[in-house]
Amino acid sequence: MKKRNILIIATVALIGLIVFLWNSQKSEQEKEAREAKWEKECLPYNVKKQKLEKQLEDLEQEYQLEQQPRATVQFLFTEIKEELYSQCYPIMKNKGFSGVMALSNQEFPGNEGCITLEQFRELQNEGWTVCVRWDATAPVNQWWPTLQQKIMKLGVKVECVYVPVEVYKAELDSTLQQMGFTTVVCGKSEQDIPLQTNYEEGLWHIGGLGFMSSKPKKWLENAVAQDANIAYLIGFQQEDELYESRNFDAMLSYCENYVHSDDLIVGSVEDARNHYSIRVKGKSPEQEAEYKEKKDSLQKQIDEIDKKLEEINARYEQ
């Protein structure tokens, strides 16, 4: 009888233990399922929040970096031959760089031997910009209205003019300003220092350097050391500008290293002018307002996600 009672008690205890373990396991499974459901519901919001926080961080870093002195470089193509698209463009795109195309009545998209209009549009979509090449062979009141009309049909804005060294004179500046240009690239001889370290109100002279002239890498090193601007002139006919793929690729690699260390900006003439203006005068009210608007918009989106996550957390804490 005593043994029987012990067996009954043991059986009941075992059953109780099994029930307890089963309930514990069930409770744990329900808890895990609840947590999995909670994490799944929160996941898209957390992913979006991380992206927005990264955008906000990048925006703030860019804002601070824009005000720090850096060197600036432009690759200005004095001719827009077909080689520009087939040879130079792929190399620059691979590096993440864009160039500046000098347009003239002779060197214009669609002209014989030049890039096509479709190729021009592709380059434009990749961030390439344009300038005008000064034509000293025709009266200003003849060549400029014709070229200006053609440029207007392209739908692009031009504020920069490239003037070859052999035709540039200081007296030309007033004419250029009257024509609406804000920046001039003056081709310089190797004896001149092609670096610009100052910002100029009115017409800004950014300097220039034939790409294949002596020591182009040295000029780049000097520009970085002085936080200065330099424009490399690249062409397909003139000897001191002549494009050569190996040297060109090497030069872009040098620039790429400086860009990665935040010592250099490679871009348009407008990028350089804006950078120098900010360095001297600070950001304009419009630029400050644009930055604040972007920052506030990102922060508002983050706050909205935080509010949604709080609502989800509150439901699962009940």
Side-chain angles (χ1 to χ4, degrees):
M1 185 69 177
K2 187 176 180 180
K3 290 183 178 180
R4 182 181 178 186
N5 289 339
I6 294 172
L7 181 60
I8 292 172
I9 293 171
T11 301
V12 171
L14 180 60
I15 293 173
L17 178 61
I18 292 173
V19 172
F20 172 78
L21 292 174
W22 182 82
N23 286 332
S24 297
Q25 184 179 17
K26 183 180 179 182
S27 177
E28 186 64 28
Q29 289 174 343
E30 290 175 348
K31 181 181 177 182
E32 290 177 356
R34 185 179 177 84
E35 289 179 350
K37 186 178 179 181
W38 167 70
E39 290 177 356
K40 184 178 180 180
E41 192 171 347
C42 289
L43 180 61
Y45 294 102
N46 285 325
V47 170
K48 187 175 181 180
K49 181 181 177 181
Q50 289 176 359
K51 290 181 179 179
L52 289 169
E53 288 177 335
K54 181 64 168 60
Q55 290 177 28
L56 181 58
E57 181 183 354
D58 290 344
L59 178 67
E60 292 174 338
Q61 288 180 350
E62 182 181 356
Y63 176 81
Q64 297 298 328
L65 191 59
E66 283 177 344
Q67 301 178 82
Q68 297 177 12
R70 286 182 289 171
T72 52
V73 164
Q74 303 84 50
F75 288 97
L76 194 159
F77 292 83
T78 57
E79 304 162 81
I80 56 168
K81 303 299 183 187
E82 196 281 331
E83 293 93 329
L84 166 63
Y85 181 84
S86 62
Q87 299 182 39
C88 306
Y89 169 49
I91 298 175
M92 293 190 71
K93 185 176 181 179
N94 183 54
K95 302 290 186 183
F97 296 151
S98 58
V100 183
M101 297 174 281
L103 304 184
S104 66
N105 285 313
Q106 295 74 36
E107 297 287 331
F108 202 84
N111 286 6
E112 185 178 356
C114 298
I115 61 175
T116 66
L117 181 58
E118 291 74 19
Q119 291 170 340
F120 174 81
R121 294 299 186 197
E122 182 180 343
L123 290 167
Q124 189 181 23
N125 290 335
E126 290 292 330
W128 286 59
T129 55
V130 300
C131 71
V132 171
R133 179 173 182 138
W134 182 264
D135 187 352
T137 64
V140 175
N141 60 0
Q142 292 182 14
W143 76 269
W144 175 234
T146 303
L147 180 58
Q148 189 177 31
Q149 189 175 24
K150 292 168 66 176
I151 289 174
M152 289 176 64
K153 289 182 179 180
L154 286 179
V156 298
K157 185 179 181 181
V158 180
E159 296 184 355
C160 175
V161 58
Y162 161 60
V163 184
V165 61
E166 63 271 12
V167 298
Y168 176 76
K169 296 180 181 179
E171 309 88 76
L172 190 60
D173 286 0
S174 59
T175 301
L176 297 176
Q177 285 187 278
Q178 291 173 9
M179 294 168 65
F181 294 112
T182 62
T183 311
V184 58
V185 181
C186 307
K188 293 177 179 282
S189 64
E190 293 182 13
Q191 288 73 33
D192 296 324
I193 299 177
L195 298 178
Q196 171 60 280
T197 58
N198 300 308
Y199 175 77
E200 300 169 328
E201 293 287 357
L203 193 66
W204 190 51
H205 297 71
I206 71 170
L209 174 70
F211 181 75
M212 291 302 293
S213 63
S214 63
K215 303 179 180 178
K217 181 184 176 184
K218 186 64 176 177
W219 289 125
L220 176 64
E221 293 172 347
N222 291 341
V224 172
Q226 299 176 47
D227 296 322
N229 183 80
I230 185 170
Y232 285 103
L233 307 180
I234 308 162
F236 304 96
Q237 297 181 31
Q238 190 168 316
E239 185 177 355
D240 60 349
E241 301 174 2
L242 199 60
Y243 167 78
E244 197 281 318
S245 60
R246 183 178 299 179
N247 290 341
F248 184 66
D249 186 52
M251 195 65 190
L252 292 183
S253 295
Y254 296 140
C255 289
E256 187 178 31
N257 292 334
Y258 285 123
V259 169
H260 288 166
S261 61
D262 290 330
D263 292 317
L264 180 68
I265 300 171
V266 177
S268 69
V269 174
E270 291 75 18
D271 291 335
R273 183 182 176 89
N274 183 56
H275 175 69
Y276 275 80
S277 176
I278 291 174
R279 281 166 54 172
V280 174
K281 302 187 300 182
K283 284 183 172 288
S284 68
E286 293 77 16
Q287 290 171 324
E288 290 286 358
E290 182 181 5
Y291 164 70
K292 187 177 185 304
E293 182 180 355
K294 290 180 180 179
K295 181 179 179 181
D296 290 347
S297 175
L298 290 170
Q299 189 60 59
K300 182 180 179 181
Q301 294 178 69
I302 293 172
D303 293 341
E304 289 173 351
I305 291 176
D306 283 338
K307 184 178 180 180
K308 188 65 179 179
L309 288 172
E310 288 176 3
E311 293 174 358
I312 296 173
N313 293 336
R315 287 205 313 270
Y316 283 89
E317 288 174 357
Q318 294 175 357

